[in-house]
């Protein structure tokens, strides 16, 4: 029941130091020099960083979407996440018009129960804000431990909600400690541009990007931020891709509004040209918002470094190339939107961020773990290495090199959108609540060892604490 991690370098969002970590049961019991306990198993972390487990606040496991269902479920998806250094995911639970929010959660519990190898929580979609839904939200927060609510401003006729729904959701969230999340793109204009493209015979994957220009992400982000200010509420913008959206978030934040933003690894390292690959390969890179012009990558890195964006989510929404992405051959609107990133989120941020000097090591921990814990009601249970916290720990070799490939990844999907990319730094051993999930790069946990997390209400003071993090 006890373990001592010895000889490693502990890195949190604020500190980097050499010390031992004593784990008792599920929790970190003590941190100190030369800890000893005859009953404890010693885990040698010589030459390794001791990071808090990654928290991925944006996944879609076994989700029906685009006429099919995402190929990673809570078992394969969390196994892949754990191999990549992530010990908590927060997955999006979709709702249906006319049905209760509770019934949607029951569905998501049914598909995740007994499957996950790491802990998980749910965000809940709000697609209509009628009286029933608005009355149900407070109980969902207090009884179900689901404290974040997602409104899609795009995917017209499928997931999209209107501004009235967004505003009412913001208002009820303000009163009950919820955090509203938005997919910020102008779905109405996208729908018009899409129909025009199809009429003109433009059916290739690249037209997915050309019909969803960055201006429409900037417009929706600004609209959501302004509605948040008007409602005196709090907002988290998922998968921010471009300068137009970053500027809106920065402006809202500079005025003191509680507006937060997430980007994803794919937008930091890939660009729109990938969607032009021949032989329909461009479909592997179709997700929303789309990949952008390369110049946006520097904007996103700078926003992570300056704290204008707080987190990195994977937006893991995996579809096989064969049998799923190819549903859109001859019509880009039928390509299921999404890509597979849950496994490589952590390593890409370390390798491209820390190793290349774009962010500091403490900023890395803040972005990949701590800020998500603070924003989504999990801190200090998760997101740090401190006495009393869950022993969710990654032992990370900063010098091991690896080439990302579908041949070696642990996701169920048949391709890797980062195929061939070389990364430096590798999670070697991963613990979830004191138990090994990955030991020397091998899976040792059983499905069902991961638990559902009831999360606390949004705490604005905690969410803004990022300013204490050291900068480069
Ligand atoms: O294309 C994407 N991102 N698919 C997942 C659903 C969403 O919009 O987050
Ligand atoms: Zn989205
Ligand atoms: Zn998503």
């Amino acid at each position: 029941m006890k373990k001592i991690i010895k000889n490693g370098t502990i890195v949190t969002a604020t500190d980097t130091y050499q010390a031992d970590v004593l784990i008792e049961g599920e929790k970190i019991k003590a941190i100190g020099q030369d800890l000893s306990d005859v009953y404890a198993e010693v885990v040698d972390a010589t030459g390794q960083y001791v990071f808090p487990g990654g928290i991925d606040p944006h996944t879609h496991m076994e989700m029906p979407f685009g006429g099919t269902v995402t190929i990673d479920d809570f078992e394969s998806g969390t196994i892949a996440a754990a191999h990549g250094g992530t010990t908590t995911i927060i997955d999006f639970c979709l709702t249906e018009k006319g049905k209760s929010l509770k019934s949607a959660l029951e569905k998501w519990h049914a598909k995740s129960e007994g499957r996950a190898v790491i802990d998980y929580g749910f965000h809940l979609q709000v697609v209509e804000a009628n009286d029933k839904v608005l009355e149900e939200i407070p109980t969902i927060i207090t009884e179900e431990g689901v404290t974040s609510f997602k409104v899609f401003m795009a995917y017209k006729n499928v997931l999209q909600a209107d501004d009235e729904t967004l505003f009412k959701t913001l208002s009820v969230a303000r009163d009950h400690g919820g955090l509203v999340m938005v997919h910020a793109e102008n779905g109405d204009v996208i729908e018009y541009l899409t129909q025009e493209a199809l009429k003109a015979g433009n059916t290739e994957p690249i037209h997915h990007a050309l019909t969803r220009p960055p201006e429409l992400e900037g417009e929706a982000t600004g609209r959501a931020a302004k509605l948040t200010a008007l409602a005196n509420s709090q907002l988290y913008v998922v998968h921010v891709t471009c300068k137009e959206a970053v500027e809106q978030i920065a402006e809202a934040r500079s005025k003191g509004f509680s507006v937060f933003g997430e980007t994803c690894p794919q937008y930091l390292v890939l660009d729109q040209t990938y969607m032009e690959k021949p032989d329909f390969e461009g479909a592997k890179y179709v997700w929303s918002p789309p990949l952008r012009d390369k110049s946006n990558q520097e904007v996103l890195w700078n926003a992570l470094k300056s704290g204008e964006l707080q987190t990195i989510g994977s937006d893991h929404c995996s579809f096989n190339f064969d049998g799923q992405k190819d549903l859109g051959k001859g019509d880009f609107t039928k390509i299921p939107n999404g890509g597979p990133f849950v496994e490589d989120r952590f390593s890409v941020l370390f390798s491209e961020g820390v190793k290349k000097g774009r962010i500091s090591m403490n900023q890395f921990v803040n972005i990949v773990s701590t800020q998500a814990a603070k924003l989504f009601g999990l801190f200090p249970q998760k997101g740090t290495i401190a006495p009393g916290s869950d022993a969710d720990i990654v032992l990370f070799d900063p010098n091991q090199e690896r080439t990302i490939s579908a041949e070696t990844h642990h996701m169920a999907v048949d391709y890797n959108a980062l195929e061939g990319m070389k990364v430096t730094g590798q999670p070697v051993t991963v613990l979830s609540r004191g138990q090994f999930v990955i030991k020397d790069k091998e899976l040792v946990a059983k499905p069902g060892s991961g638990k559902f997390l009831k999360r606390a209400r949004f705490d604005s003071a905690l969410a803004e604490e990022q300013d204490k993090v050291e900068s480069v």
Side-chain angles (χ1 to χ4, degrees):
M1 291 300 280
K2 291 185 186 175
K3 295 182 180 72
I4 298 181
I5 300 173
K6 285 202 158 285
N7 310 317
T9 302
I10 296 171
V11 189
T12 67
T14 48
D15 302 294
T16 306
Y17 59 105
Q18 297 248 318
D20 299 342
V21 182
L22 172 64
I23 298 167
E24 197 175 299
E26 299 192 343
K27 302 281 181 190
I28 296 171
K29 174 85 176 161
I31 298 173
Q33 303 301 322
D34 303 319
L35 297 180
S36 67
D37 186 313
V38 283
Y39 298 107
E41 173 182 355
V42 173
V43 183
D44 183 22
T46 302
Q48 295 176 342
Y49 290 126
V50 180
F51 288 138
I55 299 177
D56 185 342
H58 190 157
T59 66
H60 304 276
M61 302 301 177
E62 202 183 324
M63 184 181 82
F65 194 44
T68 181
V69 179
T70 57
I71 199 75
D72 277 298
D73 58 18
F74 277 85
E75 187 172 323
S76 66
T78 58
I79 288 171
H83 275 285
T86 291
T87 53
T88 301
I89 60 165
I90 314 181
D91 197 77
F92 285 95
C93 170
L94 295 187
T95 55
E96 283 173 73
K97 281 190 178 168
K99 296 214 173 141
S100 71
L101 301 180
K102 181 93 190 285
S103 67
L105 286 176
E106 280 163 4
K107 261 194 191 167
W108 244 253
H109 279 298
K111 61 175 113 189
S112 51
E113 187 77 44
R115 309 295 305 282
V117 298
I118 56 172
D119 291 351
Y120 58 95
F122 300 146
H123 311 289
L124 189 59
Q125 183 200 9
V126 177
V127 67
E128 60 180 345
N130 58 33
D131 289 349
K132 265 191 163 167
V133 166
L134 294 173
E135 273 165 29
E136 209 185 342
I137 287 178
T139 0
I140 295 289
I141 293 175
T142 51
E143 287 173 21
E144 302 296 323
V146 172
T147 57
S148 39
F149 299 89
K150 169 89 172 279
V151 176
F152 287 90
M153 300 170 82
Y155 303 123
K156 196 170 168 70
N157 304 323
V158 188
L159 302 174
Q160 188 172 326
D162 58 15
D163 288 350
E164 182 185 350
T165 301
L166 174 57
F167 192 74
K168 286 179 172 170
T169 308
L170 283 162
S171 305
V172 74
R174 170 202 60 218
D175 293 341
H176 296 277
L179 177 58
V180 178
M181 311 169 80
V182 281
H183 172 130
E185 286 186 292
N186 186 320
D188 291 353
V189 178
I190 288 169
E191 179 61 17
Y192 171 72
L193 295 177
T194 302
Q195 294 311 324
E196 291 295 291
L198 290 179
K199 268 190 229 159
N202 295 326
T203 59
E204 295 300 310
I206 184 62
H207 293 285
H208 174 77
L210 301 179
T211 52
R212 311 178 84 100
E215 288 81 358
L216 297 184
E217 186 183 334
E219 184 279 326
T221 305
R223 183 162 28 110
K226 286 178 183 76
L227 294 178
T228 302
L230 190 64
N232 192 22
S233 188
Q234 45 270 347
L235 182 77
Y236 177 95
V237 185
V238 302
H239 50 40
V240 173
T241 74
C242 58
K243 180 168 171 278
E244 288 79 355
V246 169
E247 282 174 352
Q248 295 294 332
I249 293 170
E251 188 188 323
R253 292 182 60 73
S254 73
K255 291 180 180 159
F257 298 121
S258 287
V259 176
F260 307 93
E262 160 203 282
T263 191
C264 312
Q266 50 272 40
Y267 302 116
L268 293 169
V269 299
L270 302 175
D271 64 71
Q272 201 171 294
T273 59
Y274 283 78
M275 297 174 69
E276 292 167 351
K277 283 188 178 236
D279 303 323
F280 197 61
E281 292 262 322
K284 293 179 177 174
Y285 306 88
V286 167
W287 45 75
S288 300
L291 288 171
R292 302 297 188 192
D293 178 87
K294 204 172 172 52
S295 60
N296 288 286
Q297 292 174 1
E298 201 187 333
V299 175
L300 296 174
W301 281 113
N302 287 339
L304 285 173
K305 181 173 168 174
S306 67
E308 279 163 355
L309 295 179
Q310 289 73 35
T311 62
I312 183 160
S314 66
D315 194 7
H316 182 78
C317 187
S318 57
F319 298 104
N320 278 338
F321 184 59
D322 283 328
Q324 292 192 298
K325 288 284 185 184
D326 57 13
L327 293 170
K329 268 194 179 150
D331 180 351
F332 72 89
T333 65
K334 297 202 166 59
I335 303 169
N337 284 203
F341 297 99
V342 76
E343 186 162 350
D344 299 309
R345 180 189 74 110
F346 192 98
S347 295
V348 167
L349 191 68
F350 183 85
S351 188
E352 291 292 310
V354 179
K355 282 282 179 184
K356 295 200 172 164
R358 291 170 165 134
I359 52 173
S360 73
M361 191 115 76
N362 305 101
Q363 284 177 321
F364 164 75
V365 172
N366 198 37
I367 294 163
V368 87
S369 176
T370 313
Q371 268 298 315
K374 289 181 174 175
L375 284 161
F376 293 108
L378 289 170
F379 191 84
Q381 180 191 354
K382 309 277 189 195
T384 193
I385 296 194
S389 293
D390 283 358
D392 289 3
I393 293 174
V394 177
L395 305 185
F396 189 86
D397 180 338
N399 298 315
Q400 268 190 45
E401 294 186 352
R402 171 173 80 91
T403 302
I404 295 175
S405 175
E407 305 263 296
T408 47
H409 75 202
H410 302 86
M411 300 178 283
V413 63
D414 66 0
Y415 77 99
N416 194 310
L418 303 171
E419 186 72 37
M421 183 178 170
K422 289 189 169 40
V423 284
T424 308
Q426 164 88 43
V428 177
T429 292
V430 177
L431 296 108
S432 165
R433 280 181 286 101
Q435 298 302 310
F436 292 111
V437 181
I438 306 294
K439 202 170 185 182
D440 294 326
K441 298 199 246 176
E442 296 294 333
L443 177 73
V444 293
K446 293 269 180 293
S449 54
K451 282 192 186 153
F452 175 71
L453 296 164
K454 286 193 173 184
R455 297 180 288 114
R457 289 166 205 260
F458 176 76
D459 176 339
S460 62
L462 202 54
E464 291 295 351
E465 255 188 16
Q466 58 165 322
D467 297 340
K468 291 184 190 159
V469 177
E470 291 168 22
S471 52
V472 186

